[in-house]
Amino acid sequence: LKFSSNVGYTTGEMKALKKIMLSTGVNIGVELYIKHDLFFNTSAGFSLLRFDYSDTANNSVFNSKYFLNIPLSIKKYYTVSKKSWVFWDFGIFANYHFIDKKEIRNISGNNIKKQNDLGFNFGMLGSFGFKTIFSNNLSVDIGLSSQTDYISSYKNESDKIKTDKRMLVISLYRKLK
């Protein structure tokens, strides 16, 4: 069983805006043995993009975008020592954009707009990093990851977002017996 947490930045492109955004997320998944140093990874989790901007009426807008994500990848390990490895992985992912929350601040006060069930993004992912074993049942990965959207499908064109993420990922592995 694998638990991962990530933090980084995203370049997000929407119809009227291109912005650098804070990206955070968590995933729970599994790493399945294929052969020798090769594994199949899959997980499910949530990610959040946060950023602010000024709209056309010069209001201050704080935006939070929530995604359900499902990555699938192949991971290759290279031995460094008896308990340490370097790795790379490459794969695909799907993101479901399920909540978009905007807090609009102006002279008359705050207004919160929330939308649900917005759309999907699909893309490629890659990462590299270092893994070490702490005990027979516990190990940790630290790596750098990149995810880029290539295909998206949204109900409304104005809600569509294309992302290009760069993240620091820390994963904790627990062997199941």
Side-chain angles (χ1 to χ4, degrees):
L1 189 62
K2 174 176 95 169
F3 172 78
S4 296
S5 178
N6 64 68
V7 65
Y9 73 92
T10 297
T11 303
E13 290 184 54
M14 296 171 286
K15 190 172 186 170
L17 181 70
K18 183 174 182 177
K19 189 82 174 169
I20 301 295
M21 306 169 183
L22 174 64
S23 176
T24 57
V26 294
N27 282 56
I28 295 176
V30 293
E31 186 171 87
L32 303 171
Y33 176 80
I34 297 174
K35 68 176 193 172
H36 189 52
D37 294 337
L38 201 59
F39 292 80
F40 174 75
N41 280 310
T42 187
S43 62
F46 295 97
S47 62
L48 171 61
L49 299 179
R50 292 181 180 179
F51 60 100
D52 62 348
Y53 62 95
S54 294
D55 65 11
T56 55
N58 209 24
N59 296 315
S60 180
V61 180
F62 183 73
N63 198 179
S64 298
K65 296 180 178 295
Y66 297 83
F67 296 86
L68 169 65
N69 52 55
I70 300 173
L72 305 168
S73 66
I74 299 294
K75 191 174 215 176
K76 173 75 171 152
Y77 287 100
Y78 299 92
T79 303
V80 174
S81 71
K82 190 175 179 179
K83 293 186 175 189
S84 300
W85 298 264
V86 293
F87 67 85
W88 61 261
D89 86 343
F90 183 74
I92 59 174
F93 68 88
N95 284 334
Y96 169 55
H97 186 180
F98 67 95
I99 294 176
D100 193 301
K101 182 179 172 186
K102 293 178 181 146
E103 184 178 340
I104 303 165
R105 296 180 182 145
N106 55 29
I107 295 170
S108 61
N110 291 347
N111 180 13
I112 295 176
K113 291 184 178 179
K114 188 174 171 185
Q115 293 177 285
N116 296 321
D117 192 26
L118 290 106
F120 294 90
N121 296 29
F122 304 93
M124 304 290 285
L125 64 87
S127 69
F128 65 92
F130 178 78
K131 180 174 188 168
T132 190
I133 295 175
F134 288 121
S135 70
N136 287 342
N137 295 327
L138 191 62
S139 61
V140 69
D141 274 7
I142 298 176
L144 296 175
S145 178
S146 176
Q147 293 183 356
T148 302
D149 294 342
Y150 288 104
I151 300 168
S152 59
S153 174
Y154 278 73
K155 290 180 180 180
N156 297 314
E157 194 65 26
S158 62
D159 296 327
K160 187 175 183 178
I161 182 169
K162 181 180 184 217
T163 63
D164 188 11
K165 296 181 182 179
R166 304 291 183 266
M167 299 167 290
L168 173 66
V169 179
I170 298 174
S171 300
L172 188 63
Y173 292 83
R174 172 87 177 153
K175 261 190 194 174
L176 300 177
K177 294 183 179 189

mmCIF file of all heavy atoms in Angstrom, residues 36-56:
data_model
loop_
_atom_site.group_PDB
_atom_site.id
_atom_site.type_symbol
_atom_site.label_atom_id
_atom_site.label_comp_id
_atom_site.label_asym_id
_atom_site.label_seq_id
_atom_site.Cartn_x
_atom_site.Cartn_y
_atom_site.Cartn_z
ATOM 1 N N HIS A 36 11.631 -8.301 -11.974
ATOM 2 C CA HIS A 36 12.859 -7.806 -11.371
ATOM 3 C C HIS A 36 12.746 -6.383 -10.803
ATOM 4 O O HIS A 36 12.338 -6.208 -9.683
ATOM 5 C CB HIS A 36 14.018 -7.931 -12.360
ATOM 6 C CG HIS A 36 15.353 -7.644 -11.747
ATOM 7 N ND1 HIS A 36 15.787 -8.267 -10.604
ATOM 8 C CD2 HIS A 36 16.324 -6.775 -12.106
ATOM 9 C CE1 HIS A 36 16.984 -7.798 -10.293
ATOM 10 N NE2 HIS A 36 17.339 -6.899 -11.188
ATOM 11 N N ASP A 37 13.094 -5.325 -11.554
ATOM 12 C CA ASP A 37 13.080 -3.940 -11.070
ATOM 13 C C ASP A 37 11.957 -3.111 -11.683
ATOM 14 O O ASP A 37 11.997 -1.888 -11.663
ATOM 15 C CB ASP A 37 14.406 -3.251 -11.396
ATOM 16 C CG ASP A 37 15.567 -3.859 -10.635
ATOM 17 O OD1 ASP A 37 15.318 -4.476 -9.586
ATOM 18 O OD2 ASP A 37 16.711 -3.709 -11.082
ATOM 19 N N LEU A 38 10.941 -3.764 -12.242
ATOM 20 C CA LEU A 38 9.863 -3.083 -12.960
ATOM 21 C C LEU A 38 8.530 -3.293 -12.244
ATOM 22 O O LEU A 38 8.179 -4.424 -11.899
ATOM 23 C CB LEU A 38 9.788 -3.637 -14.387
ATOM 24 C CG LEU A 38 9.108 -2.806 -15.441
ATOM 25 C CD1 LEU A 38 9.775 -1.456 -15.607
ATOM 26 C CD2 LEU A 38 9.101 -3.550 -16.762
ATOM 27 N N PHE A 39 7.781 -2.195 -12.038
ATOM 28 C CA PHE A 39 6.523 -2.245 -11.297
ATOM 29 C C PHE A 39 5.445 -1.443 -12.017
ATOM 30 O O PHE A 39 5.743 -0.495 -12.735
ATOM 31 C CB PHE A 39 6.707 -1.670 -9.886
ATOM 32 C CG PHE A 39 7.569 -2.514 -9.007
ATOM 33 C CD1 PHE A 39 8.950 -2.461 -9.102
ATOM 34 C CD2 PHE A 39 6.998 -3.373 -8.082
ATOM 35 C CE1 PHE A 39 9.755 -3.248 -8.298
ATOM 36 C CE2 PHE A 39 7.789 -4.152 -7.267
ATOM 37 C CZ PHE A 39 9.167 -4.094 -7.367
ATOM 38 N N PHE A 40 4.193 -1.827 -11.774
ATOM 39 C CA PHE A 40 3.024 -1.087 -12.255
ATOM 40 C C PHE A 40 2.440 -0.329 -11.062
ATOM 41 O O PHE A 40 2.203 -0.917 -10.012
ATOM 42 C CB PHE A 40 1.982 -2.043 -12.844
ATOM 43 C CG PHE A 40 0.704 -1.369 -13.228
ATOM 44 C CD1 PHE A 40 0.637 -0.593 -14.374
ATOM 45 C CD2 PHE A 40 -0.431 -1.498 -12.443
ATOM 46 C CE1 PHE A 40 -0.541 0.041 -14.732
ATOM 47 C CE2 PHE A 40 -1.616 -0.872 -12.789
ATOM 48 C CZ PHE A 40 -1.661 -0.099 -13.936
ATOM 49 N N ASN A 41 2.233 0.971 -11.215
ATOM 50 C CA ASN A 41 1.674 1.811 -10.149
ATOM 51 C C ASN A 41 0.296 2.310 -10.532
ATOM 52 O O ASN A 41 0.091 2.739 -11.677
ATOM 53 C CB ASN A 41 2.544 3.049 -9.913
ATOM 54 C CG ASN A 41 3.752 2.751 -9.085
ATOM 55 O OD1 ASN A 41 3.641 2.142 -8.036
ATOM 56 N ND2 ASN A 41 4.910 3.187 -9.551
ATOM 57 N N THR A 42 -0.622 2.275 -9.597
ATOM 58 C CA THR A 42 -1.912 2.918 -9.774
ATOM 59 C C THR A 42 -2.378 3.433 -8.420
ATOM 60 O O THR A 42 -1.993 2.906 -7.381
ATOM 61 C CB THR A 42 -2.966 1.982 -10.401
ATOM 62 O OG1 THR A 42 -4.148 2.743 -10.677
ATOM 63 C CG2 THR A 42 -3.299 0.827 -9.494
ATOM 64 N N SER A 43 -3.174 4.480 -8.461
ATOM 65 C CA SER A 43 -3.683 5.056 -7.217
ATOM 66 C C SER A 43 -4.905 5.911 -7.528
ATOM 67 O O SER A 43 -5.276 6.096 -8.685
ATOM 68 C CB SER A 43 -2.604 5.901 -6.525
ATOM 69 O OG SER A 43 -2.210 6.976 -7.334
ATOM 70 N N ALA A 44 -5.501 6.411 -6.478
ATOM 71 C CA ALA A 44 -6.605 7.363 -6.602
ATOM 72 C C ALA A 44 -6.396 8.408 -5.519
ATOM 73 O O ALA A 44 -5.882 8.101 -4.439
ATOM 74 C CB ALA A 44 -7.951 6.673 -6.415
ATOM 75 N N GLY A 45 -6.763 9.632 -5.824
ATOM 76 C CA GLY A 45 -6.566 10.683 -4.835
ATOM 77 C C GLY A 45 -7.222 11.979 -5.233
ATOM 78 O O GLY A 45 -8.001 12.040 -6.193
ATOM 79 N N PHE A 46 -6.885 12.997 -4.479
ATOM 80 C CA PHE A 46 -7.451 14.318 -4.690
ATOM 81 C C PHE A 46 -6.327 15.321 -4.871
ATOM 82 O O PHE A 46 -5.280 15.201 -4.243
ATOM 83 C CB PHE A 46 -8.300 14.734 -3.486
ATOM 84 C CG PHE A 46 -9.499 13.866 -3.287
ATOM 85 C CD1 PHE A 46 -9.473 12.820 -2.385
ATOM 86 C CD2 PHE A 46 -10.651 14.080 -4.030
ATOM 87 C CE1 PHE A 46 -10.570 12.007 -2.205
ATOM 88 C CE2 PHE A 46 -11.755 13.274 -3.864
ATOM 89 C CZ PHE A 46 -11.723 12.236 -2.953
ATOM 90 N N SER A 47 -6.569 16.305 -5.714
ATOM 91 C CA SER A 47 -5.629 17.417 -5.833
ATOM 92 C C SER A 47 -6.405 18.721 -5.829
ATOM 93 O O SER A 47 -7.602 18.763 -6.120
ATOM 94 C CB SER A 47 -4.766 17.288 -7.092
ATOM 95 O OG SER A 47 -5.542 17.327 -8.253
ATOM 96 N N LEU A 48 -5.693 19.766 -5.474
ATOM 97 C CA LEU A 48 -6.292 21.083 -5.320
ATOM 98 C C LEU A 48 -5.378 22.113 -5.966
ATOM 99 O O LEU A 48 -4.170 22.112 -5.720
ATOM 100 C CB LEU A 48 -6.460 21.380 -3.827
ATOM 101 C CG LEU A 48 -6.870 22.777 -3.391
ATOM 102 C CD1 LEU A 48 -8.233 23.157 -3.956
ATOM 103 C CD2 LEU A 48 -6.877 22.868 -1.876
ATOM 104 N N LEU A 49 -5.952 22.973 -6.799
ATOM 105 C CA LEU A 49 -5.240 24.117 -7.356
ATOM 106 C C LEU A 49 -5.811 25.369 -6.719
ATOM 107 O O LEU A 49 -7.036 25.531 -6.640
ATOM 108 C CB LEU A 49 -5.440 24.199 -8.875
ATOM 109 C CG LEU A 49 -4.943 23.029 -9.705
ATOM 110 C CD1 LEU A 49 -5.239 23.266 -11.180
ATOM 111 C CD2 LEU A 49 -3.459 22.825 -9.495
ATOM 112 N N ARG A 50 -4.936 26.271 -6.276
ATOM 113 C CA ARG A 50 -5.374 27.524 -5.661
ATOM 114 C C ARG A 50 -4.639 28.692 -6.306
ATOM 115 O O ARG A 50 -3.428 28.619 -6.513
ATOM 116 C CB ARG A 50 -5.070 27.533 -4.165
ATOM 117 C CG ARG A 50 -5.886 26.557 -3.394
ATOM 118 C CD ARG A 50 -5.553 26.655 -1.944
ATOM 119 N NE ARG A 50 -6.362 25.695 -1.207
ATOM 120 C CZ ARG A 50 -6.285 25.528 0.089
ATOM 121 N NH1 ARG A 50 -5.453 26.246 0.796
ATOM 122 N NH2 ARG A 50 -7.040 24.649 0.690
ATOM 123 N N PHE A 51 -5.397 29.762 -6.575
ATOM 124 C CA PHE A 51 -4.796 30.964 -7.157
ATOM 125 C C PHE A 51 -5.768 32.119 -7.006
ATOM 126 O O PHE A 51 -6.938 31.944 -6.685
ATOM 127 C CB PHE A 51 -4.440 30.735 -8.625
ATOM 128 C CG PHE A 51 -5.607 30.376 -9.505
ATOM 129 C CD1 PHE A 51 -6.212 31.333 -10.301
ATOM 130 C CD2 PHE A 51 -6.102 29.080 -9.529
ATOM 131 C CE1 PHE A 51 -7.293 31.008 -11.104
ATOM 132 C CE2 PHE A 51 -7.181 28.745 -10.332
ATOM 133 C CZ PHE A 51 -7.772 29.713 -11.119
ATOM 134 N N ASP A 52 -5.252 33.320 -7.239
ATOM 135 C CA ASP A 52 -6.112 34.497 -7.201
ATOM 136 C C ASP A 52 -5.887 35.338 -8.456
ATOM 137 O O ASP A 52 -4.858 35.208 -9.125
ATOM 138 C CB ASP A 52 -5.881 35.318 -5.932
ATOM 139 C CG ASP A 52 -4.477 35.865 -5.827
ATOM 140 O OD1 ASP A 52 -3.602 35.438 -6.596
ATOM 141 O OD2 ASP A 52 -4.231 36.730 -4.977
ATOM 142 N N TYR A 53 -6.860 36.171 -8.760
ATOM 143 C CA TYR A 53 -6.785 37.047 -9.924
ATOM 144 C C TYR A 53 -7.836 38.145 -9.785
ATOM 145 O O TYR A 53 -8.678 38.109 -8.899
ATOM 146 C CB TYR A 53 -6.983 36.262 -11.223
ATOM 147 C CG TYR A 53 -8.330 35.587 -11.355
ATOM 148 C CD1 TYR A 53 -9.374 36.206 -12.044
ATOM 149 C CD2 TYR A 53 -8.559 34.323 -10.808
ATOM 150 C CE1 TYR A 53 -10.614 35.579 -12.170
ATOM 151 C CE2 TYR A 53 -9.786 33.708 -10.934
ATOM 152 C CZ TYR A 53 -10.801 34.342 -11.616
ATOM 153 O OH TYR A 53 -12.029 33.727 -11.738
ATOM 154 N N SER A 54 -7.780 39.129 -10.667
ATOM 155 C CA SER A 54 -8.797 40.178 -10.738
ATOM 156 C C SER A 54 -9.664 39.917 -11.951
ATOM 157 O O SER A 54 -9.148 39.683 -13.056
ATOM 158 C CB SER A 54 -8.148 41.552 -10.862
ATOM 159 O OG SER A 54 -7.437 41.852 -9.689
ATOM 160 N N ASP A 55 -10.988 39.955 -11.764
ATOM 161 C CA ASP A 55 -11.897 39.717 -12.891
ATOM 162 C C ASP A 55 -12.115 41.002 -13.696
ATOM 163 O O ASP A 55 -11.506 42.044 -13.404
ATOM 164 C CB ASP A 55 -13.225 39.107 -12.411
ATOM 165 C CG ASP A 55 -14.036 40.026 -11.528
ATOM 166 O OD1 ASP A 55 -13.699 41.227 -11.429
ATOM 167 O OD2 ASP A 55 -15.016 39.551 -10.937
ATOM 168 N N THR A 56 -12.964 40.935 -14.711
ATOM 169 C CA THR A 56 -13.183 42.079 -15.602
ATOM 170 C C THR A 56 -13.808 43.279 -14.889
ATOM 171 O O THR A 56 -13.658 44.407 -15.333
ATOM 172 C CB THR A 56 -14.075 41.669 -16.799
ATOM 173 O OG1 THR A 56 -15.284 41.103 -16.285
ATOM 174 C CG2 THR A 56 -13.369 40.671 -17.689
#
